[in-house]
Amino acid sequence: MPSHERVLPPLSRRGFLTAGTAAALALAPGPAWAGPRPFGPYGSPTARLTPKTLFVHPAGRGDFTSVQAAVTAASGSGWTLVVAPGTYRETVAVDATRTDMTWIGAGDDPRAVVIVYDNAAGTPKPGGGTYGTTGSATTLVQADGFTAHRITFANDWLRADHPGVSGTQAVAIKVQGDRSAFHHCRFLGHQDTLYADSMALGVFARQYFAHCYAEGDVDFVFGRGTAVFEHCHFRTLTRTDLSSAPYGFVFAPSTAGANPRGYLVTRSRVTGEAPDAYYKLARPWVPSSDPTARPSLTVRDTHLGPGIDAVAPYANMSDSFPWQDQRFAEYRNTGPGAVVTVPENRPRLTAAEAESHTRGTYLGDWRPYERP
């Protein structure tokens, strides 16, 4: 992380809900540029740095007060949205026509700009039926070339508040576009927090997450995208509704069988607030819509905390598709959750094999990690 950025300790979504907006977002003594210059060095509606820049401010000091209103106005390609510090309680959708869009959080920390809503898969829709997993997403990104900097994407739906709802998936963001990049962003939820996916079964969408934070419990990073997570922090949450392990699973890839690369986690860390060994590292998701899927996950050079079950870090989502038949691998991981006690439960790459599991091989000619 660049030295000029202020680093704050992670705050759980539960803390976000219970501490109150200002305290939970750690805004005191105030985010940078909250006063006379709410958009910082990125201009303003009266001083646009580029003609394709739009400004969002919750109190009306920008072009729009909601992110979705700005997205709707930004038709075509190549727009930049500068979002002032604040909490935006809304759902946002970026359709496939709005390519190469960039969102910039105009604070010095991703907690300053929060996009949050509270739909779940089982939430009733106004016109009948329920939202389903995809429909629960607070933010949906379908366009290619999307980039976000310093923004928190959250879904604050809680199981405890809805004991009669069985569809507890509550997505903070679903990303389907190719060349989607997130830098210093946060993803908060419980079940199905971060949906790294693609637009169609035959589309291999590349995504890059750098210096990001994601938290949750059940399958909270999941989907069929080709996604690289570098220098990221994954945090498992405790659960008051369960009395025994496992509480959940960090990753649930659903990589298409024809796609040679699924998820790559590198130089990252997994921590948690749950008891030791109460989480599995991953389980494979073979959806009914694609029974030929072969979920792919490589975790390398990553610290696995004590919350990960070192003896049996992988589990089946369905016994019809055992995890041993999928493409799971590890390489040079550290920490209590990485200790190899049962070798057959820890598929490991050789040094030669690891050479093909890098951000370069996964992302190809797209290099979002290089500064322009």
Side-chain angles (χ1 to χ4, degrees), residues 290-312:
D290 180 23
T292 64
R294 285 198 65 215
S296 169
L297 166 71
T298 295
V299 180
R300 61 171 299 171
D301 301 297
T302 289
H303 183 88
L304 305 180
I308 297 300
D309 182 355
V311 175

Side-chain angles (χ1 to χ4, degrees), residues 56-351:
V56 184
H57 190 284
R61 296 173 64 183
D63 299 301
F64 302 95
T65 58
S66 80
V67 179
Q68 182 60 65
V71 170
T72 300
S75 60
S77 182
W79 286 88
T80 296
L81 271 57
V82 180
V83 186
T87 298
Y88 299 84
R89 178 161 285 278
E90 58 178 312
T91 59
V92 185
V94 182
D95 68 40
T97 68
R98 289 168 165 79
T99 57
D100 298 309
M101 178 177 282
T102 298
W103 293 4
I104 299 173
D108 60 354
D109 185 274
R111 284 183 288 189
V113 177
V114 180
I115 303 171
V116 59
Y117 208 71
D118 61 349
N119 283 330
T123 300
K125 296 173 66 174
T130 58
Y131 281 99
T133 300
T134 292
S136 75
T138 297
T139 301
L140 173 65
V141 177
Q142 297 181 315
D144 292 344
F146 179 86
T147 302
H149 299 269
R150 296 186 307 277
I151 293 176
T152 292
F153 300 89
N155 189 316
D156 59 5
W157 189 90
L158 287 175
R159 296 184 188 96
D161 295 340
H162 306 274
V165 176
S166 59
T168 58
Q169 301 89 343
V171 177
I173 187 170
K174 180 173 184 177
V175 186
Q176 295 179 282
D178 185 38
R179 296 180 294 105
S180 300
F182 296 82
H183 302 271
H184 299 280
C185 289
R186 302 170 73 239
F187 308 96
L188 310 184
H190 274 265
Q191 183 172 353
D192 291 5
T193 304
L194 171 54
Y195 197 168
D197 205 54
S198 71
M199 284 292 287
L201 180 60
V203 176
F204 305 155
R206 296 164 297 174
Q207 299 162 13
Y208 180 66
F209 300 82
H211 301 278
C212 289
Y213 170 87
E215 69 174 28
D217 48 42
V218 178
D219 306 331
F220 65 92
V221 181
F222 73 114
R224 67 173 172 235
T226 295
V228 173
F229 302 89
E230 185 170 38
H231 297 296
C232 289
H233 179 189
F234 304 93
R235 186 165 179 262
T236 60
L237 301 177
T238 193
R239 296 184 64 174
T240 58
D241 58 320
L242 295 180
S243 58
S244 61
Y247 278 177
F249 315 85
V250 182
F251 302 99
S254 59
T255 322
N259 188 351
R261 299 177 181 91
Y263 289 174
L264 171 66
V265 180
T266 178
R267 295 187 287 180
S268 296
R269 60 190 171 117
V270 179
T271 68
E273 58 185 45
D276 291 359
Y278 265 53
Y279 270 87
K280 304 293 186 181
L281 184 61
R283 64 178 180 173
W285 176 29
V286 180
S288 58
S289 60
D290 180 23
T292 64
R294 285 198 65 215
S296 169
L297 166 71
T298 295
V299 180
R300 61 171 299 171
D301 301 297
T302 289
H303 183 88
L304 305 180
I308 297 300
D309 182 355
V311 175
Y314 304 102
N316 297 337
M317 188 175 294
S318 167
D319 289 341
S320 298
F321 304 100
W323 71 264
Q324 293 90 341
D325 292 346
Q326 313 311 321
R327 294 174 286 177
F328 286 176
E330 301 178 52
Y331 183 68
R332 286 194 320 202
N333 295 322
T334 59
V339 174
V340 178
T341 58
V342 182
E344 58 266 32
N345 288 345
R346 307 301 297 248
R348 284 162 289 168
L349 300 174
T350 66

